[in-house]
């Protein structure tokens, strides 16, 4: 089997490539990645000499290149995206370009080359926001209601994917997943930002009252869910993928990290809230459980400890990232915190 993975040098994409080659060593992967600030070939260092993985540096918006790399591909697993909500609030255009136009270019290439499956990685953020006292959860029937430029661009890409199924019969599947955490996550996101700031002796910026709720999933569980969808998912269907946490607030998450790292709450710094901040996400993953047998295996507290350990043991990986582009971004985003 020959796979095209887009965005395979990013957080989830690189974890997916490691996962896939471990479980399917006979398969061949082409990894198309532009290497934006979030793409990092260090994430793939362990498999750099693997003859079954070829890296192509390039943009998913480049139709000619996409047509070339799509040649002979059986399955496309499309991760490439601008992924950070705060950056989408500051600079929305690149989100529209990469997430919407880039997806359409890939769909066109996949259609032309008659791929057997186009799997699109999406997010629970397309469903909008729940109230804190709301007991309902997002599922596959929840109407789309994106509220940030990031989630709107992901919603647009989801609609395009489905349009290629209905209009042209392209064999697509979509997964809408909740917040991932684990190794190789760029330190702009809450969990790696908190861990690495503590390791640097800095404070942790908490937006607003810190009572926002996310549904956390260890990245390897997400990779397994994608694997199940690729092997047994129904063409033209969407699958919601979520974790094992029940209404855990950002403050709860940070408190756990402080406990694991032996720090107290003096490290917390409440800062100006994110504009349009979605209050709560919660995913009902019973469809993928019932139809494909998916159950998250990674307990939040234990795998948060493992994640802290990973960042402690991989200081050179994140220190280099924090010196580069990130330091300017951080100054601007957090007003020199
Ligand atoms: P990431 O920002 O860590 O990585 C994105 C990767 O895409 C990078 O390697 C980057 O270089 C590449 N890329 C960006 N623009 C590109 C372009 N124009 N052409 C080619 N490559 C390009 O993102 P992530 O957190 O790994 O997220 C991957 C996917 O999963 C995204 O589609 C995101 O919307 C989705 N998702 C993420 C989460 C999460 O919690 N991180 C949860 C659900 C869904
Ligand atoms: O739900 C899935 C989504 O999860 C993915 O689609 C996105 O790609 C991914 O970035 C993530 O989005 P969030 O906005 O939920 O993740 P982030 O880590 O940026 O923020 C998590 C929560 O923490 C959110 O409520 C905002 C808050 N936060 C974040 C940062 C960076 C803070 O309080 N302080 C911070 O400095």
């Amino acid at each position: 089997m020959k796979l095209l993975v887009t965005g395979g040098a990013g957080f989830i994409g690189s974890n997916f490539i490691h996962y896939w080659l471990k479980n399917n060593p006979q398969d061949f992967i082409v990894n198309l990645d532009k290497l934006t600030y979030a793409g990092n070939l260090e994430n793939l260092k362990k498999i750099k000499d693997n003859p079954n993985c070829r890296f192509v540096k390039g943009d998913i918006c480049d139709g000619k290149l996409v047509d070339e790399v799509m040649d002979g591909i059986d399955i496309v697993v499309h991760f490439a995206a601008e992924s950070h909500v705060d950056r989408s609030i500051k600079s929305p255009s690149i989100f529209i370009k990469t997430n919407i136009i880039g997806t359409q270019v890939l769909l066109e290439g996949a259609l032309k080359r008659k791929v057997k499956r186009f799997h699109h990685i999406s997010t629970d953020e397309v469903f909008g926001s729940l109230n804190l006292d709301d007991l309902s959860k997002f599922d596959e029937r929840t109407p789309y209601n994106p509220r940030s430029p990031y989630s709107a661009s992901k919603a647009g890409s989801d609609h395009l994917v489905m349009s290629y199924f209905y209009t042209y019969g392209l064999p697509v599947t979509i997964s809408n997943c909740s917040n991932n955490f684990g190794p190789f996550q760029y330190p702009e996101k809450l969990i790696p930002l908190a861990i690495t700031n503590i390791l640097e002796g800095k404070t942790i910026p908490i937006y607003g009252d810190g009572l926002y709720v996310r549904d956390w999933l260890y990245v390897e569980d997400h990779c397994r869910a994608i694997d199940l969808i690729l092997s047994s998912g129904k063409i033209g269907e969407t699958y919601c993928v979520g974790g094992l946490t029940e209404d855990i607030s950002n403050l709860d998450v940070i408190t756990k990290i402080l406990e694991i790292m032996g720090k107290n709450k003096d490290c917390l710094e409440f800062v100006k809230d994110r504009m349009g901040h979605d209050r709560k996400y919660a995913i009902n993953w019973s469809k993928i459980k019932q139809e494909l047998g998916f159950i998250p295996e990674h307990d939040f507290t234990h795998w948060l400890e493992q994640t802290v350990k990973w960042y402690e043991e991989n200081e050179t990986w994140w220190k280099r990232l924090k010196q580069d582009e990130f330091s300017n971004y951080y100054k601007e985003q957090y007003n020199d915190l």
Side-chain angles (χ1 to χ4, degrees):
M1 195 90 78
K2 198 169 166 190
L3 283 78
L4 172 65
V5 172
T6 69
F11 163 47
I12 309 176
S14 60
N15 276 283
F16 179 79
I17 290 179
H18 287 297
Y19 169 95
W20 194 267
L21 289 176
K22 190 170 149 211
N23 294 296
N24 307 277
Q26 72 291 347
D27 284 353
F28 190 90
I29 295 182
V30 178
N31 171 17
L32 173 62
D33 195 301
K34 187 178 170 184
L35 298 185
T36 65
Y37 77 92
N40 184 357
L41 288 178
E42 285 287 301
N43 302 2
L44 298 165
K45 209 166 68 185
K46 273 199 184 138
I47 50 139
K48 81 175 189 332
D49 296 323
N50 187 323
N52 283 8
C53 191
R54 175 179 156 228
F55 174 67
V56 178
K57 182 169 189 252
D59 194 327
I60 56 168
C61 300
D62 178 346
K64 189 166 170 287
L65 176 66
V66 164
D67 184 47
E68 280 163 28
V69 296
M70 204 63 87
D71 189 15
I73 293 295
D74 300 298
I75 295 177
V76 177
V77 189
H78 174 33
F79 294 94
E82 288 294 334
S83 68
H84 194 39
V85 174
D86 292 324
R87 291 186 193 247
S88 83
I89 294 165
K90 284 210 154 62
S91 317
S93 323
I94 187 68
F95 284 74
I96 309 308
K97 186 161 184 268
T98 294
N99 299 359
I100 301 183
I101 297 176
T103 300
Q104 192 270 333
V105 170
L106 286 168
L107 288 163
E108 204 56 35
L111 188 64
K112 185 174 164 205
R113 296 289 185 177
K114 297 188 172 50
V115 302
K116 298 187 185 81
R117 179 73 72 85
F118 186 101
H119 183 68
H120 177 58
I121 309 297
S122 193
T123 169
D124 59 357
E125 301 203 8
V126 298
F127 301 121
S129 178
L130 299 164
N131 293 324
L132 279 185
D133 58 0
D134 199 336
L135 296 179
S136 65
K137 295 185 173 195
F138 301 138
D139 67 22
E140 292 76 6
R141 291 175 304 275
T142 306
Y144 277 36
N145 184 23
R147 293 158 33 99
S148 73
Y150 163 69
S151 52
S153 68
K154 291 298 289 187
S157 66
D158 290 12
H159 292 317
L160 276 169
V161 171
M162 290 314 295
S163 79
Y164 271 68
F165 167 67
Y166 289 119
T167 307
Y168 307 109
L170 186 72
V172 307
T173 40
I174 298 180
S175 45
N176 292 92
C177 187
S178 61
N179 287 60
N180 285 213
F181 68 102
F184 302 123
Q185 188 167 29
Y186 193 81
E188 66 192 350
K189 307 282 164 56
L190 180 68
I191 288 181
L193 181 71
I195 298 169
T196 57
N197 273 17
I198 293 172
L199 290 172
E200 289 179 308
K202 290 184 180 156
T203 54
I204 304 167
I206 308 285
Y207 294 158
D209 59 11
L211 299 180
Y212 294 85
V213 168
R214 297 294 182 264
D215 184 334
W216 295 97
L217 181 74
Y218 190 64
V219 63
E220 198 180 308
D221 278 327
H222 187 186
C223 295
R224 204 162 37 79
I226 298 165
D227 188 359
L228 284 168
I229 297 168
L230 290 177
S231 61
S232 323
K234 275 201 210 118
I235 301 298
E237 297 271 326
T238 284
Y239 295 88
C240 283
V241 183
L244 293 169
T245 53
E246 288 289 338
D247 283 6
I248 179 169
S249 72
N250 294 339
L251 268 180
D252 294 335
V253 172
I254 299 305
T255 304
K256 274 181 187 285
I257 293 174
L258 294 175
E259 279 165 19
I260 294 167
M261 298 181 77
K263 299 285 174 196
N264 63 38
K265 291 195 174 170
D266 293 347
C267 307
L268 301 185
E269 182 112 20
F270 287 86
V271 299
K272 193 166 152 276
D273 210 347
R274 174 183 278 175
M275 287 160 76
H277 199 167
D278 288 340
R279 197 53 157 162
K280 170 175 157 181
Y281 307 139
I283 282 271
N284 173 350
W285 39 269
S286 53
K287 175 178 171 182
I288 190 168
K289 179 183 173 201
Q290 277 155 20
E291 294 187 12
L292 309 183
F294 172 77
I295 295 182
E297 285 173 358
H298 294 80
D299 157 76
F300 181 66
T301 305
H302 177 69
W303 287 92
L304 190 60
E305 282 164 14
Q306 296 302 306
T307 302
V308 169
K309 198 162 164 247
W310 189 88
Y311 281 89
E312 284 170 344
E313 288 171 355
N314 289 278
E315 216 172 77
T316 37
W317 180 87
W318 58 263
K319 276 214 160 142
R320 187 183 68 71
L321 298 181
K322 278 193 140 180
Q323 277 157 16
D324 295 348
E325 183 270 353
F326 185 79
S327 66
N328 293 331
Y329 164 78
Y330 193 82
K331 276 187 204 127
E332 207 187 305
Q333 176 68 16
Y334 299 100
N335 295 323
D336 279 323
L337 198 73

